């Protein structure tokens, strides 16, 4: 973006226009829509400028701009059609630190004026940085046709009606009212009187909330499902795990309240009871609650406890599945999680459970060809290694650790069962990591630093 769009407060601002001919007139027609104090500098002025002066809408100064005229000015337009004179005025503006535009000379201007569609207070500015003026005109024409002439009046009336609308409870009910206010505003239907609409909404049944348990996938927004995207679009409240990264949270509806309810391994965490209460409480207020969990909500996500809390409170709920960390990790290794003749079952384990290091069916896991995806396993690596080898697993069994699977910072540590604990201990793994027992990265896998190191 070479030019950054902003909306400038015009009230109380002084805008200086240098020039009294056609070019200046075109700018003045736009500027007169604002509340700025406008000074036109020109030895000779078009009669229209004199009319506007007579109406008190601007002041005309019958001489060129001088340095002192720019003192405290907000904007300057150099619009004399005389390149040398425009450059002189631009130079004065630059020296005075005042933003200036040389009409029809984008290259030398400090700002440019966009094409506009004006439905005050709704104003759409269109810019192509001069790259496609014809396209800008087409977009403008399309918007002009799309936005009905009465739109501005409807928006002003709605804005004045805000205090009355506060009679509706905040959240869904109020949002539903505003949606109805503008319903049809864009397809030109005759608007319903606001007070009648409000009465109808006050009489409506109170909104019922619901809870959506949504899988956020491994962390890259591209790995969200369409259903998850839509859930984020609808959310009044998003209650998320610590593992859900910012780029995904940014996709939530702009007005959505975002609450972190952390439940990661060893850090400080919110008690489950409290999370349940939060989810149920917000839904009971009539809000759409998205309970956003890393990966898939049904994999080590304490989903059942939260569902049971909803059921106990009579709150409607549903589950939106997500891509679990093991899937992302296997994709990065270029391996399948099951393979004919090698493993016909796949185990999904946790390194830790409520009692600490988790116990498993070690004898089965120690068999040649066994594949397991181990979640929350970083700190359990030595224990896993010991148990498996005690049950006869080969020290040469491949084991891959995938940290930040599916994210830009992903790292793959290629180890064997024999080296697993020391490799993990000597590598600083700060992100979430999933351990894939029985799988080595395929040679063609992405060349990540750690992978190359391991291959040497
Ligand atoms: N529901 C999640 C798992 C939650 S348990 C899922 O389906 O993926 C938390 C554990 O998941 C972490 O300790 C780590 O082992 C694993 N994990 C989650 N996201 C990960 C990621 N992007 N990369 C590697 N492991 C991840």
């Amino acid at each position: 973006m070479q030019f950054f769009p902003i909306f400038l407060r015009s009230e109380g601002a002084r805008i200086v226009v240098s020039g009294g001919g056609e070019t200046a007139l075109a700018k003045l027609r736009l500027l007169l829509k604002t509340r700025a104090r406008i000074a036109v500098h020109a030895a000779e002025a078009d009669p229209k400028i004199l009319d506007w002066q007579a109406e008190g809408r601007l002041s005309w100064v019958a001489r060129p701009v001088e340095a002192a005229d720019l003192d405290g000015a907000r904007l300057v337009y150099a619009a004399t059609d005389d390149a040398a004179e425009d450059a002189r005025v631009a130079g004065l503006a630059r020296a005075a630190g005042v933003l200036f535009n040389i009409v029809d000379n984008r290259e030398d201007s400090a700002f440019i004026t966009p094409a506009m569609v004006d439905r005050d207070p709704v104003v759409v500015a269109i810019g192509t940085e001069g790259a496609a003026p014809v396209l800008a005109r087409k977009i403008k024409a399309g918007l002009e046709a799309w936005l009905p002439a009465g739109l501005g009046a409807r928006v002003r009336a709605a804005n004045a009606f805000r205090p009355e609308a506060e009679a509706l409870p905040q959240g869904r009910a109020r949002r539903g009212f505003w949606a109805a206010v503008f319903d049809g505003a864009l397809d030109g239907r005759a608007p319903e009187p606001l007070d009648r609409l409000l009465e109808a909404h006050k009489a409506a049944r109170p909104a019922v909330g619901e809870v959506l348990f949504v899988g956020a996938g491994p962390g890259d927004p591209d790995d969200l499902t369409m259903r998850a995207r839509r859930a984020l679009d609808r959310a009044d409240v998003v209650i998320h795990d610590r593992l859900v990264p910012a780029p995904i949270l940014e996709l939530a509806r702009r007005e959505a309240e975002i609450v972190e309810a952390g439940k990661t391994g060893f850090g400080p965490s919110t008690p489950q009871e409290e999370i349940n209460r939060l989810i149920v409480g917000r839904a009971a207020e009539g809000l759409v609650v998205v309970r956003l969990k890393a990966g898939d909500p049904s994999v080590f996500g304490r989903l059942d406890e939260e569902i049971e809390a909803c059921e106990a409170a009579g709150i409607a709920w549903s589950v939106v599945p997500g891509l679990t960390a093991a899937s992302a990790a296997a994709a990065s290794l270029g391996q399948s999680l099951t393979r004919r003749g090698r493993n016909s079952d796949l185990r999904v384990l946790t390194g830790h459970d409520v009692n600490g290091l988790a116990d498993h069916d070690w004898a089965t896991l120690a068999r040649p060809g066994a594949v397991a995806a181990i979640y929350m396993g970083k700190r359990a690596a030595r224990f896993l290694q010991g148990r498996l080898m005690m049950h006869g697993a080969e020290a040469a069994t491949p084991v891959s650790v995938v940290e930040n699977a599916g994210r830009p910072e992903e790292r793959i540590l290629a180890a064997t069962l024999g080296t697993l604990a020391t490799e993990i201990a000597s590598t600083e793994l700060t992100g979430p990591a999933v351990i894939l027992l029985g799988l080595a990265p395929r040679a063609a896998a992405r060349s990540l630093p750690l992978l190359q190191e391991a291959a040497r």
Side-chain angles (χ1 to χ4, degrees):
M1 233 189 252
Q2 212 189 337
F3 290 88
F4 182 71
I6 55 168
F7 286 88
L8 190 81
R9 180 177 298 284
S10 66
E11 211 156 21
R14 198 153 60 75
I15 298 180
V16 174
V17 175
S18 163
E22 268 310 317
T23 305
L25 279 184
K27 285 297 166 229
L28 285 168
R29 281 192 191 95
L30 282 178
L31 291 171
L32 285 170
K33 295 176 175 217
T34 72
R35 301 177 190 183
R37 283 180 293 128
I38 301 165
V40 179
H41 285 255
E44 281 170 44
D46 187 282
K48 196 74 210 143
I49 293 175
L50 303 181
D51 288 349
W52 284 328
Q53 158 147 280
E55 291 165 17
R57 301 179 65 193
L58 51 72
S59 56
W60 170 46
V61 187
R63 58 163 172 78
V65 174
E66 289 166 13
D69 300 322
L70 300 183
D71 212 18
R74 185 72 50 81
L75 299 178
V76 181
Y77 280 91
T80 60
D81 287 325
D82 170 347
E85 172 59 7
D86 282 352
R88 184 189 70 85
V89 172
L92 292 178
R94 196 180 289 112
V98 179
L99 285 175
F100 59 93
N101 170 262
I102 306 174
V103 178
D104 293 331
N105 179 352
R106 183 170 31 88
E107 276 312 307
D108 298 325
S109 291
F111 75 91
I112 52 178
T113 318
M116 286 174 224
V117 178
D118 175 15
R119 299 286 184 275
D120 184 42
V122 178
V123 177
V124 185
I126 306 151
T128 62
E129 301 193 347
V134 175
L135 176 66
R137 275 198 288 281
K138 273 184 186 292
I139 296 173
K140 180 173 152 90
L143 289 169
E144 290 283 3
W146 182 42
L147 303 179
L151 183 65
R154 182 71 168 167
V155 171
R156 270 195 301 276
N159 196 34
F161 200 71
R162 256 166 209 286
E164 277 92 327
E166 273 167 25
L168 290 168
Q170 206 180 351
R172 235 192 186 184
R174 209 182 291 169
R175 227 179 33 252
F177 167 72
W178 288 119
V181 168
F182 294 112
D183 239 9
L186 293 180
D187 51 25
R189 274 184 274 146
E192 233 189 294
L194 293 172
D195 43 4
R196 219 167 63 207
L197 209 54
L198 180 65
E199 287 317 311
H201 277 253
K202 275 189 194 160
R205 272 189 316 121
V208 274
E210 63 177 307
V211 178
L212 300 159
F213 296 99
V214 177
D220 187 322
D222 276 0
D223 286 329
L224 282 170
T225 64
M226 303 285 274
R227 209 185 289 279
R229 284 296 297 261
R230 279 201 292 271
L232 286 170
D233 274 344
R234 284 184 54 209
D236 294 310
V237 189
V238 177
I239 303 172
H240 69 93
D241 281 352
R242 286 222 172 89
L243 276 181
V244 178
I248 288 184
L249 296 173
E250 278 159 21
L251 297 172
R253 209 163 57 79
R254 241 177 73 165
E255 300 78 15
E257 177 194 357
I258 312 278
V259 185
E260 182 187 297
K263 287 238 72 137
T264 37
F266 298 85
S269 61
T270 317
Q272 187 63 46
E273 272 302 309
E274 210 170 286
I275 298 180
N276 295 353
R277 258 201 307 279
L278 183 65
I279 295 172
V280 168
R282 307 301 272 169
E285 287 168 28
L287 303 179
V288 175
V289 177
V290 166
R291 172 66 172 124
L292 191 61
K293 292 169 180 285
D296 183 86
S298 74
V299 178
F300 303 125
R302 306 192 67 171
L303 176 63
D304 302 74
E305 291 155 73
E306 295 177 11
I307 288 180
E308 280 154 23
C310 289
E311 300 222 295
I315 303 276
W317 57 271
S318 55
V319 181
V320 177
L323 193 63
T324 192
S327 298
S332 295
L333 294 184
Q335 293 286 10
S336 32
L337 291 167
T338 61
R339 181 175 172 162
R340 271 171 85 120
R342 182 190 66 198
N343 64 314
S344 58
D345 65 359
L346 161 73
R347 279 160 191 264
V348 176
L349 336 169
T350 171
H352 275 88
D353 60 19
V354 276
N355 304 316
L357 297 170
D359 227 336
H360 295 287
D361 176 4
W362 302 112
T364 307
L365 288 166
R367 278 196 210 131
V371 173
I374 305 163
Y375 289 66
M376 294 172 278
K378 271 190 292 187
R379 302 211 188 182
R382 188 165 297 282
F383 171 75
L384 291 165
Q385 180 184 30
R387 284 290 187 279
L388 286 166
M389 288 179 56
M390 202 168 80
H391 284 81
E394 289 285 337
T397 306
V399 184
S400 303
V401 182
V402 185
E403 183 198 27
N404 290 315
R407 301 182 184 181
E409 341 57 285
E410 177 181 280
R411 292 197 299 175
I412 298 174
L413 184 62
T416 63
L417 191 55
T419 65
L420 178 67
T422 37
E423 294 237 20
I424 286 191
S426 64
T427 314
E428 211 177 307
L429 296 172
T430 48
V434 65
I435 301 175
L436 292 178
L437 171 72
L439 296 181
R442 243 190 242 274
R446 281 184 255 157
S447 57
L448 293 148
L450 273 172
L451 182 56
Q452 286 166 341
E453 232 171 74
R456 247 188 266 133

